[in-house]
Amino acid sequence: MNILILGSGGREHAITWKLAQSSRPLKLFVAPGNPGTSSIASNVHIDPLDFEGVRSAIIENRIGMVVVGPEAPLAEGIADFIEADPALAGVAVIGPGRAGAMLEGSKDFAKRFMIRHGIPTAAYETFTPDTFEEAVIFMRGLQPPYVLKADGLAAGKGVLIINDFDEAVSELQSMLGGRFGAAGNKVVIEEYLSGVEMSAFVITDGITYRILPEAKDYKRIGEGDTGKNTGGMGAVSPVPFATPLFMSKVEERIIKPTVEGLRSEGIDYRGFIFFGLMNMNGDPFVIEYNARLGDPESEVILPRIGSDLYDLLEGVAHRDLGAREIVISPETAVTVMMVSGGYPDRYSKGYPITGTEKIIESTVFHAGTAMVDGHLSTSGGRVLAVTSGGSTMAEALGKSYRSIGEITFEGMNYRRDIGFDLKNREG
Ligand code: AMP
Ligand code: GLY
């Protein structure tokens, strides 16, 4: 089977790395990939949003399965595009069509879906430029902080949490006034949920599902969870407070009604679902859905899957996931993201990276790297995700931080406190 993985970050490197361990004879292609994927697969120089380019790559390389990493091509309808093309008949896509990707692509759609199916989530209302006055009245009835969400995809920047009422009103005005472009034509205002966050992941064939390892990511740039939001500075799996009791509530109250809800609405969802959750005194609430795996969460959940990932993907393609087993390792996995100086604000690129070849205790997933004049160099904000396993979180973290000590590039930054809030909760 020839498989094409779409995307270029740490998540796609981790997916490719996991598939490369399959016992099945797979030939792996990544578009566009990165220097990390090029060592275990063939990179194809195509942008995942260039659907005609993807089509040619599928035909040229006799691809039988496409695994979609990021959300943008899903929201743009890559799965529908492939399925509608007779020349691509039989090509399986791991990732939902446009309708299913709305779970991530429209916060208003996701909220209405959850209400229809009785899935626990924060109380909310949706507003447009025409209902600004009503929005202000609605906000007056809420307790601060105020949570404002641009309806559409805004590259993780569309959520504002604001303590001051007047500031919230002026931010709302700017969102509805076009600050996030079309993504802000509608704004969801919701109740603030206080608790501890974590994420659950499933793979589904549209009928049944398999639960993947859960994870917690560290979104803020600064230690102690301070400063600006980033794409994610590190992650750990398992999550100590995700007890069997809590996870059984997640499955009964959230996962099952989501998969059944999609099916009952005629949305043929085949792919990954990422549930961003808040644990409020032991009860799970959905903060957001994503129609894909997380990054850097993939870099800790995939290493913990003991079974063959291809077997699960084939179960999705053949719609017999119910007949496939997933084995999850009890080991802890952690990843620490090495980022460019200045990220998530302005940063420079093109600095040479040294030391990755010396790493033996960890797996280095490439996030934002490029080969420049034959030398591995930085090419993004998030540069490398350094993943390690261990029988405890402390052991795994020790390995990642020792490995990071071997790697250098100008301006490099990373959080020294990944897992800090969980260390004394480990059983
Ligand atoms: P989202 O993009 O929807 O995941 O939101 C980004 C972040 O904002 C989440 O990871 C949470 O930390 C926070 N957040 C979103 N919605 C809420 C809420 N209703 N209550 C508290 N925090 C929230
Ligand atoms: N790390 C968060 C995400 O992938 O959305």
Side-chain angles (χ1 to χ4, degrees):
M1 168 66 77
N2 293 0
I3 303 183
L4 175 64
I5 295 125
L6 298 183
S8 64
R11 166 181 48 215
E12 290 75 24
H13 187 183
I15 293 170
T16 309
W17 169 87
K18 185 68 193 164
L19 286 173
Q21 294 165 22
S22 172
S23 61
R24 309 281 286 276
L26 305 179
K27 237 178 126 184
L28 304 174
F29 297 82
V30 192
N34 62 39
T37 61
S38 76
S39 64
I40 49 176
S42 306
N43 284 356
V44 185
H45 295 288
I46 285 167
D47 179 341
L49 290 173
D50 169 11
F51 288 7
E52 287 301 330
V54 170
R55 178 180 192 272
S56 307
I58 292 173
I59 294 169
E60 222 163 89
N61 299 298
R62 302 171 186 282
I63 299 296
M65 176 184 282
V66 177
V67 182
V68 187
E71 63 275 21
L74 294 169
E76 294 289 320
I78 186 82
D80 314 86
F81 173 85
I82 291 171
E83 272 149 30
D85 190 332
L88 304 181
V91 175
V93 181
I94 308 299
R98 198 185 270 115
M102 290 271 283
L103 279 186
E104 173 168 5
S106 166
K107 303 270 187 203
D108 177 55
F109 174 87
K111 295 297 280 192
R112 283 188 284 124
F113 177 88
M114 287 186 265
I115 302 298
R116 282 198 293 280
H117 299 288
I119 296 166
T121 188
Y124 84 106
E125 295 252 0
T126 300
F127 299 94
T128 62
D130 292 341
T131 54
F132 175 73
E133 298 303 326
E134 287 91 323
V136 174
I137 294 166
F138 177 72
M139 271 203 298
R140 271 191 218 288
L142 296 176
Q143 296 292 321
Y146 305 95
V147 182
L148 309 180
K149 301 186 172 187
D151 178 56
L153 291 179
K157 298 188 175 76
V159 175
L160 299 178
I161 298 179
I162 302 169
N163 280 307
D164 182 67
F165 180 79
D166 294 331
E167 191 188 334
V169 171
S170 91
E171 286 292 352
L172 173 68
Q173 199 156 23
S174 122
M175 284 170 99
L176 289 172
R179 179 161 143 217
F180 292 106
N185 285 347
K186 283 189 202 163
V187 173
V188 167
I189 302 182
E190 70 179 30
E191 168 198 21
Y192 180 82
L193 301 175
S194 94
V196 248
E197 274 185 81
M198 57 156 288
S199 302
F201 302 86
V202 304
I203 184 166
T204 177
D205 61 357
I207 302 161
T208 186
Y209 57 85
R210 288 287 175 265
I211 301 178
L212 308 179
E214 78 282 358
K216 181 177 199 307
D217 81 338
Y218 291 81
K219 290 198 171 102
R220 305 293 197 94
I221 186 71
E223 281 154 24
D225 285 336
T226 54
K228 289 202 173 167
N229 262 323
T230 69
M233 295 293 289
V236 303
S237 177
V239 179
F241 62 78
T243 59
L245 173 63
F246 181 74
M247 289 308 289
S248 73
K249 292 179 187 171
V250 172
E251 181 168 9
E252 291 306 319
R253 300 177 190 173
I254 293 169
I255 295 174
K256 273 189 192 163
T258 299
V259 173
E260 277 162 21
L262 289 164
R263 193 178 176 192
S264 72
E265 295 190 15
I267 298 175
D268 181 21
Y269 196 112
R270 281 177 284 162
F272 298 101
I273 312 176
F274 168 155
F275 302 86
L277 303 173
M278 191 69 87
N279 176 343
M280 285 176 72
N281 303 316
D283 289 317
F285 289 77
V286 177
I287 290 190
E288 65 163 348
Y289 286 113
N290 294 309
R292 51 171 174 83
L293 288 177
D295 192 354
E297 291 88 340
S298 300
E299 290 94 301
V300 294
I301 68 185
L302 296 174
R304 290 191 60 226
I305 298 178
S307 35
D308 193 326
L309 178 62
Y310 179 70
D311 187 56
L312 296 173
L313 301 187
E314 191 183 57
V316 172
H318 294 180
R319 275 187 211 279
D320 64 359
L321 189 60
R324 317 282 174 143
E325 291 298 326
I326 181 166
V327 177
I328 294 174
S329 156
E331 278 224 325
T332 292
V334 305
T335 196
V336 180
M337 194 62 85
M338 301 180 70
V339 306
S340 295
Y343 173 81
D345 294 322
R346 254 158 37 105
Y347 56 86
S348 302
K349 310 190 237 192
Y351 296 120
I353 303 169
T354 63
T356 52
E357 70 291 345
K358 289 190 229 157
I359 306 308
I360 42 173
E361 288 186 299
S362 309
T363 305
V364 178
F365 294 115
H366 291 225
T369 68
M371 293 304 279
V372 178
D373 299 331
H375 204 296
L376 186 67
S377 306
T378 65
S379 76
R382 295 194 293 171
V383 177
L384 298 169
V386 181
T387 295
S388 313
S391 54
T392 64
M393 197 164 63
E395 184 194 339
L397 285 166
K399 291 180 188 172
S400 281
Y401 286 118
R402 276 196 298 277
S403 297
I404 286 175
E406 301 282 340
I407 300 174
T408 57
F409 57 85
E410 189 167 323
M412 72 180 225
N413 183 26
Y414 60 92
R415 274 182 62 169
R416 287 150 183 83
D417 69 341
I418 298 306
F420 74 104
D421 53 333
L422 302 174
K423 277 185 188 152
N424 48 12
R425 305 181 68 137
E426 232 178 338

